[in-house]
Amino acid sequence: MELIGSTLTATYARPKTSHFLPAISTMASSYRNTQPALVMNPSANLWRTNSYYKSGGVVSNPSSIQRENLDMVRAKTMFYPSNRTALTTRYTPEDWYKSNQSNYRESESSRKSAERLRRDAVRLMQDRDQLTRRSQENTSKNIGERLNDIVFWKSELSHEIDNMVTEIAALTEVKRRLERALAETEGPLQVSQECLYHREKRMSIDLVHDDVEKDLIKEVEVIKSCQERMRRHLDRAIAQLASNRAAQHELERDISDKVTAQRIDDRCHHLRNTSDGIGYYRGIERLDPSLSLPDSWSKFTDDNILHSQSERAASHKLRDEIEILLNTTSNEMWNQFNNVNVAFTNRISETADAKNNLQTHLAKTLQEIFQTEMLIDSLKKALRDKECPLKVAQTRLEERTRRPNVELCRDNPHHRLVSEVREIEDTIYKLQERLMEAENSLQILVKTKVTLEHDLSVKANSLFLEQEKCMSMRKSFPSMPRLVGFT
């Protein structure tokens, strides 16, 4: 069958449908001599059969006429997509019967499943109700036992906190005595250290490890030997106090947590299904913020108490050691004091002689610097005198580059100008070399001058430090009672 044009598929473009449906049987008698009920507009008939175009040249017979009528019926009825679809989507009676039987079976299966589900749901509700009541009773019992454990450990923590507070007060008093004794030893140590610190201000070569420094270091070592033990015990006391307070803080935090936990568990213990304040907290059972187990929980408090007891024992031992130390440190700081003063006197005499020699060499160096500076000025003037000739030669070369066309000739004047520029530049280069050498020489002289002046300042500074700073401080020493911290 040949297709001419296109079909109209939109529903609003179709003519009114009739109740005629073409037969789908394959027998010729089922549609023989049947006329279509649908009358179509001849102008809209776009479908033509091969027999339509061949009928003009072939003699008709009854069988051929019937076939042509059948082709016409098919052409007119299949023009509409709805009619053609109906022809291809028909079901057989066997399909219809199978569909009904499938629906019956599905209905019976769904009823049996619903009945079984109903029985299981009723049984599940009864079982879960009993399980829920038992679980709630067991939970309340466990919370009550937990409350008893919290009360016991609270009493143990409270007793240990009282003992720790007493020990902290005793150790604090001993630490104050040690601090007063250590403060009194600062006088002799400060004198020696100030001398060393002042002598550290000596500059350059005067930082000599001489007899004065050796005696001062020995004096500081003697004083620091006593003071270091005090500082060490003071640091231990401070650290022990920190450990005691840390242990006390852990105990107080533990007992505070237990008070909070007791309040929360007590409220949870009295909660019932009819209590106020209960509500839904979706997903709370999946949240596990737990940080401990029952064994680790009790062990944590027990460890805190044991740690506090060990810290109290260490604190008592440290107090005894400090008492002994305060009685053994006051007799070791007197023997080195006078030896340092003699060493200072000898060193001051040597420094004064070196200062006089440096002043003589500095005067000679200043004279040579003056002459070198005059030479540098002469060289700079010679370089300035070469600037104008160089400008003239370069300007001539630049002007001659503007000659037009063939006049731009490399003639003798051009060669002479190029040679002149190079000569002047060579002269400037040599003068600059001499200037650089003179400036380097001047820098060396200036550096020597600075070195001599620096050495003079170093010697003057050393004399000032040793005479005015150090010796003026070494005139007093603390008494014995003050060194033991009783005043």
Side-chain angles (χ1 to χ4, degrees):
M1 184 180 296
E2 297 179 358
L3 177 62
I4 301 177
S6 63
T7 60
L8 298 176
T9 58
T11 56
Y12 56 82
R14 300 171 186 170
K16 293 182 180 180
T17 59
S18 65
H19 296 285
F20 171 76
L21 292 176
I24 63 174
S25 175
T26 57
M27 296 179 63
S29 60
S30 61
Y31 54 83
R32 189 171 297 168
N33 296 327
T34 304
Q35 297 296 328
L38 179 62
V39 179
M40 299 177 58
N41 187 357
S43 64
N45 187 9
L46 301 179
W47 293 87
R48 297 293 185 267
T49 59
N50 294 330
S51 60
Y52 175 81
Y53 295 101
K54 297 177 181 179
S55 59
V58 181
V59 179
S60 301
N61 54 33
S63 61
S64 64
I65 293 174
Q66 290 179 359
R67 284 195 299 271
E68 289 177 1
N69 290 335
L70 177 59
D71 291 339
M72 291 297 295
V73 169
R74 288 181 178 176
K76 292 180 180 181
T77 56
M78 292 181 65
F79 171 80
Y80 303 103
S82 60
N83 293 337
R84 291 190 298 169
T85 302
L87 290 174
T88 59
T89 58
R90 287 296 185 96
Y91 297 99
T92 63
E94 183 180 357
D95 294 336
W96 177 83
Y97 176 77
K98 288 181 179 179
S99 176
N100 291 336
Q101 293 297 323
S102 176
N103 290 335
Y104 300 155
R105 287 192 300 272
E106 183 178 357
S107 174
E108 184 177 1
S109 176
S110 61
R111 289 197 308 275
K112 290 181 179 179
S113 178
E115 182 179 0
R116 184 169 55 255
L117 176 62
R118 186 173 64 254
R119 290 196 302 267
D120 293 343
V122 171
R123 184 170 58 254
L124 177 63
M125 288 187 292
Q126 294 174 353
D127 294 342
R128 291 301 172 178
D129 183 60
Q130 296 177 2
L131 179 61
T132 301
R133 285 197 300 270
R134 288 195 302 270
S135 298
Q136 192 177 77
E137 292 173 357
N138 292 333
T139 302
S140 299
K141 180 180 178 181
N142 292 334
I143 293 176
E145 294 174 353
R146 179 69 169 182
L147 286 171
N148 294 333
D149 294 339
I150 293 175
V151 171
F152 168 75
W153 285 113
K154 272 180 57 182
S155 63
E156 294 294 324
L157 288 170
S158 178
H159 178 69
E160 183 60 30
I161 287 173
D162 294 339
N163 293 335
M164 179 56 74
V165 170
T166 303
E167 180 60 32
I168 288 175
L171 183 59
T172 302
E173 180 60 28
V174 173
K175 184 180 76 74
R176 289 196 187 100
R177 287 184 55 197
L178 182 59
E179 287 175 345
R180 288 195 296 267
L182 182 60
E184 292 298 331
T185 61
E186 289 293 332
L189 179 62
Q190 186 175 2
V191 171
S192 299
Q193 285 183 334
E194 284 294 329
C195 290
L196 283 173
Y197 293 155
H198 285 309
R199 298 193 88 243
E200 286 294 326
K201 296 177 184 178
R202 294 176 298 168
M203 297 178 291
S204 185
I205 193 63
D206 272 21
L207 283 171
V208 180
H209 187 61
D210 51 7
D211 293 337
V212 177
E213 185 172 0
K214 292 177 182 178
D215 290 336
L216 282 172
I217 291 174
K218 186 176 180 180
E219 184 180 19
V220 170
E221 288 175 353
V222 170
I223 298 173
K224 280 189 174 182
S225 176
C226 299
Q227 196 174 43
E228 183 63 26
R229 284 177 287 171
M230 292 184 181
R231 291 182 184 276
R232 188 163 54 247
H233 283 76
L234 180 60
D235 292 339
R236 289 178 58 191
I238 294 173
Q240 187 62 50
L241 277 174
S243 299
N244 291 349
R245 292 193 179 100
Q248 179 187 359
H249 174 71
E250 291 297 327
L251 295 174
E252 290 175 348
R253 187 175 64 174
D254 196 359
I255 197 172
S256 175
D257 292 343
K258 282 179 171 49
V259 169
T260 303
Q262 183 182 6
R263 183 178 67 253
I264 294 173
D265 284 348
D266 184 68
R267 181 176 180 275
C268 293
H269 184 65
H270 291 89
L271 281 179
R272 298 294 182 268
N273 294 336
T274 57
S275 300
D276 296 333
I278 61 176
Y280 288 108
Y281 297 91
R282 299 296 182 184
I284 191 64
E285 70 281 356
R286 293 190 297 272
L287 179 63
D288 186 12
S290 303
L291 299 179
S292 63
L293 298 174
D295 292 340
S296 61
W297 173 79
S298 59
K299 186 177 183 299
F300 176 78
T301 303
D302 190 33
D303 290 343
N304 285 339
I305 295 174
L306 292 176
H307 178 67
S308 176
Q309 292 174 350
S310 64
E311 293 296 339
R312 284 194 295 112
S315 178
H316 186 273
K317 181 180 179 181
L318 180 60
R319 285 192 290 114
D320 294 339
E321 293 178 359
I322 292 174
E323 291 289 348
I324 296 173
L325 177 65
L326 290 175
N327 296 322
T328 59
T329 57
S330 60
N331 294 322
E332 300 178 1
M333 294 181 288
W334 285 89
N335 296 327
Q336 190 64 25
F337 183 72
N338 292 326
N339 295 331
V340 177
N341 294 335
V342 175
F344 264 116
T345 302
N346 295 332
R347 186 60 181 174
I348 289 171
S349 177
E350 295 174 356
T351 305
D353 293 339
K355 180 181 177 183
N356 294 331
N357 294 330
L358 287 172
Q359 288 176 344
T360 302
H361 287 280
L362 178 61
K364 296 179 180 180
T365 303
L366 290 174
Q367 179 64 29
E368 187 63 30
I369 289 174
F370 174 74
Q371 295 177 358
T372 305
E373 288 177 347
M374 293 182 62
L375 175 62
I376 290 174
D377 292 338
S378 300
L379 290 172
K380 288 182 178 179
K381 183 177 181 302
L383 285 172
R384 287 194 299 270
D385 293 341
K386 298 298 181 292
E387 291 178 357
C388 291
L390 180 62
K391 290 179 181 179
V392 170
Q394 290 181 347
T395 302
R396 287 174 175 176
L397 281 174
E398 195 276 335
E399 289 291 335
R400 298 187 88 243
T401 58
R402 300 177 184 176
R403 291 175 296 170
N405 300 324
V406 74
E407 295 298 327
L408 192 62
C409 179
R410 187 179 297 175
D411 50 7
N412 290 331
H414 175 79
H415 291 293
R416 188 67 192 93
L417 285 173
V418 171
S419 176
E420 182 182 0
V421 169
R422 290 176 179 175
E423 289 176 358
I424 296 174
E425 288 179 346
D426 183 64
T427 302
I428 292 174
Y429 175 74
K430 291 181 179 180
L431 290 175
Q432 287 177 345
E433 284 184 345
R434 293 295 180 269
L435 178 61
M436 186 179 299
E437 291 175 358
E439 289 176 346
N440 291 336
S441 178
L442 178 62
Q443 289 179 357
I444 293 173
L445 290 172
V446 170
K447 183 178 179 181
T448 302
K449 170 182 153 307
V450 171
T451 301
L452 293 174
E453 290 176 346
H454 177 68
D455 285 344
L456 280 173
S457 64
V458 166
K459 298 299 183 291
N461 178 66
S462 299
L463 288 174
F464 173 76
L465 292 174
E466 293 176 352
Q467 286 180 339
E468 302 297 331
K469 293 292 184 179
C470 296
M471 294 303 294
S472 63
M473 293 188 303
R474 304 186 62 81
K475 295 179 180 178
S476 62
F477 202 80
S479 62
M480 184 71 67
R482 294 176 59 184
L483 291 176
V484 295
F486 289 110
T487 57

